Amino acid sequence: MEKRVWKNVLLGFVSVSALVLGACGSGEETTGTDSSTGGNGGASTLTIDVDPRYIDYVNEIIPAFEEEHNVTIEISERDMFDGLEALPLDGPAEIGSDILIAPYDRVGILGQQGHIAEVTLPDDGRYDELDQRQVTLDEKIYGAPFVIESLVMYYNKDLIDQAPETFEDLEALSEDNQYAFENEEGTNTAFLANWTTPYQYIGLLSGYGGYVFGEEGTDSTDIGLNSPESVEGITYITDWYQNVWPQGMLDATSSENFMNELFTSGKTAAVINGPWGASGYDDAGVNYGVSTIPTLPNGEEYEPFAGGVAWVASKYSKNPELAQEWLDYVTNAENSETLYELTSEIPANQEARTVVSESGNELTKAVIEQFNTAVPMPNIPEMSEVWTGAETMIFDAASGNKSPQQAADDAVQLIEENIAQKYQD
């Protein structure tokens, strides 16, 4: 995917921030202390790791920040995962960047490990409770929410008049011989979803009442992937694989490509995918619409993981106050609207999110609406064991090798064993 399948307090910040937090907008004049010194002997440079897809945006807003704070911004353009993986070594060696970008599921882990600093979020309404939970672990905030993502439904407007509203609609659509898969008798490709990967299918399990970890994703001793509710969801998924879809959908290495190829060739009417899928559909010239994911058979909403990325400050930075200023600045409403204009990515900032939701763009509107039903991805270190431990759970059930209950029990047992082995006190 889309496999973006992702402790110490800043001493002295409170006293300094009271003087400088008034300057939140692009190019506004600041009043008070020059934060370029950061309280660390006159440092005048801030180094920022920037993922290539945000380069144009950061370059656009840098000049106003440099002028406002009388500092120089130095950019290191590289994949965000490369920067995060280098931080534990580069930070202590004093060659790492002050600021980085991290997926929400990595923020709490990096904070707990001591690699990124605890920060504060402005009390100006730019974030709601869900946004704040994305960057919080053990009641400590380790980042500033930047971009939101969610799975949505794409549908081919040349094949169906409107978006399916329920999974019953999808089931009925899958009885249409127009979408019969010619290479495998008795199969149908009217609707497809890449449910071989946990990121994609956990939203369905959550809609049935299942969960990954208890206590809102913080209790790794309570794994809910084999609860009765989760097993009900797995059973429903299994029905699609065993009774509707062709065998190619069970190949975890190629199922996403298989799905996208059929959608772009007009042999599939609807798919579940993330915002990252849009560019490929655009390139293929598909006349597609975007909507929220249909209501599940139990009448509940699909509850995908709330994805996206945050800005974070290195714990090794010698300029923590200025790093905090950058986090406040880069995520304010004005700059967040600029982000959308330049990248089409949806800002986490609530004010900007409201503005861009009125842009008329179907994908933007659908992602924002679907995000309202999303659940925060657990950001504790033990979550990494879920990605690997549950990797084959759906395959085991859908292939008939195991019952849905046994597939879930075995996955949970593997996750528990790996957690016990790696995270014992």
Side-chain angles (χ1 to χ4, degrees):
M1 76 164 191
E2 88 242 13
K3 288 182 180 177
R4 301 179 175 185
V5 314
W6 49 339
K7 281 193 175 182
N8 293 339
V9 178
L10 295 172
L11 299 177
F13 169 68
V14 174
S15 59
V16 177
S17 63
L19 297 172
V20 298
L21 280 178
C24 290
S26 306
E28 295 178 3
E29 284 190 359
T30 182
T31 58
T33 305
D34 177 6
S35 64
S36 66
T37 64
N40 290 287
S44 60
T45 299
L46 193 70
T47 57
I48 301 178
D49 260 19
V50 181
D51 191 272
R53 68 185 191 267
Y54 302 122
I55 282 292
D56 290 344
Y57 165 64
V58 171
N59 280 330
E60 176 71 19
I61 68 171
I62 275 177
F65 187 85
E66 289 182 321
E67 180 179 358
E68 180 179 328
H69 295 282
N70 191 29
V71 296
T72 298
I73 299 292
E74 293 183 356
I75 291 177
S76 175
E77 181 178 350
R78 59 176 169 178
D79 180 272
M80 66 176 169
F81 292 102
D82 292 340
L84 296 176
E85 290 170 6
L87 180 61
L89 293 178
D90 289 354
E94 299 186 355
I95 58 174
S97 295
D98 297 294
I99 303 291
L100 305 94
I101 299 172
Y104 290 135
D105 63 320
R106 297 284 294 273
V107 173
I109 297 171
L110 289 165
Q112 189 179 72
Q113 292 173 341
H115 299 308
I116 60 175
E118 186 178 351
V119 297
T120 61
L121 298 178
D123 186 20
D124 59 4
R126 71 178 64 180
Y127 301 124
D128 64 12
E129 181 182 356
L130 173 59
D131 299 324
Q132 294 183 49
R133 283 177 58 190
Q134 300 276 62
V135 293
T136 301
L137 183 62
D138 297 332
E139 299 184 353
K140 294 180 173 62
I141 298 171
Y142 292 109
F146 179 44
V147 167
I148 65 167
E149 292 177 344
S150 175
L151 295 173
V152 290
M153 170 153 285
Y154 294 85
Y155 64 99
N156 189 323
K157 292 183 175 181
D158 292 334
L159 298 176
I160 54 178
D161 295 332
Q162 62 184 26
E165 296 182 358
T166 68
F167 267 78
E168 284 83 355
D169 292 339
L170 294 174
E171 293 167 12
L173 188 64
S174 296
E175 295 176 359
D176 188 337
N177 288 332
Q178 174 184 351
Y179 305 103
F181 188 61
E182 59 185 17
N183 296 332
E184 293 179 37
E185 185 177 356
T187 62
N188 190 289
T189 60
F191 159 66
L192 298 174
N194 181 22
W195 284 331
T196 58
T197 62
Y199 182 85
Q200 296 271 357
Y201 69 69
I202 282 177
L204 188 145
L205 271 54
S206 295
Y208 271 91
Y211 59 95
V212 179
F213 295 133
E215 295 295 328
E216 297 185 330
T218 63
D219 183 3
S220 63
T221 66
D222 177 12
I223 302 174
L225 293 177
N226 63 343
S227 68
E229 295 82 3
S230 290
V231 172
E232 185 179 2
I234 296 169
T235 301
Y236 182 69
I237 291 174
T238 298
D239 287 341
W240 281 94
Y241 281 104
Q242 292 184 346
N243 301 317
V244 182
W245 290 339
Q247 286 296 309
M249 287 300 293
L250 252 186
D251 188 338
T253 61
S254 62
S255 56
E256 184 176 350
N257 289 336
F258 182 80
M259 176 186 77
N260 288 330
E261 180 180 345
L262 290 173
F263 186 66
T264 56
S265 63
K267 297 177 181 178
T268 294
V271 297
I272 293 176
N273 204 350
W276 49 85
S279 62
Y281 304 153
D282 289 334
D283 292 342
V286 181
N287 179 24
Y288 67 85
V290 192
S291 70
T292 55
I293 300 172
T295 304
L296 293 167
N298 64 352
E300 300 298 328
E301 299 296 332
Y302 204 99
E303 298 180 356
F305 277 140
V309 297
W311 288 95
V312 298
S314 169
K315 182 64 177 66
Y316 310 100
S317 172
K318 294 184 178 180
N319 219 345
E321 287 85 3
L322 187 58
Q324 175 72 61
E325 288 296 315
W326 173 261
L327 265 61
D328 294 345
Y329 173 81
V330 75
T331 60
N332 70 28
E334 181 180 350
N335 287 331
S336 294
E337 290 180 44
T338 300
L339 166 73
Y340 181 76
E341 293 170 3
L342 295 178
T343 69
S344 295
E345 297 207 28
I346 301 169
N349 182 292
Q350 290 284 334
E351 181 180 342
R353 198 187 306 181
T354 298
V355 171
V356 305
S357 70
E358 299 170 352
S359 66
N361 183 285
E362 285 189 44
L363 177 57
T364 297
K365 184 174 182 291
V367 170
I368 292 174
E369 288 183 2
Q370 190 71 63
F371 196 82
N372 291 332
T373 73
V375 296
M377 192 182 305
N379 60 7
I380 58 177
E382 291 87 345
M383 184 62 192
S384 62
E385 307 311 320
V386 174
W387 299 129
T388 54
E391 188 174 25
T392 65
M393 183 171 71
I394 297 301
F395 175 85
D396 290 340
S399 64
N401 292 336
K402 301 175 182 178
S403 68
Q405 183 70 63
Q406 188 61 56
D409 288 342
D410 288 350
V412 169
Q413 181 179 354
L414 179 58
I415 294 168
E416 289 175 339
E417 290 174 350
N418 289 339
I419 289 176
Q421 181 180 11
K422 297 179 182 180
Y423 302 95
Q424 283 181 330
D425 294 333

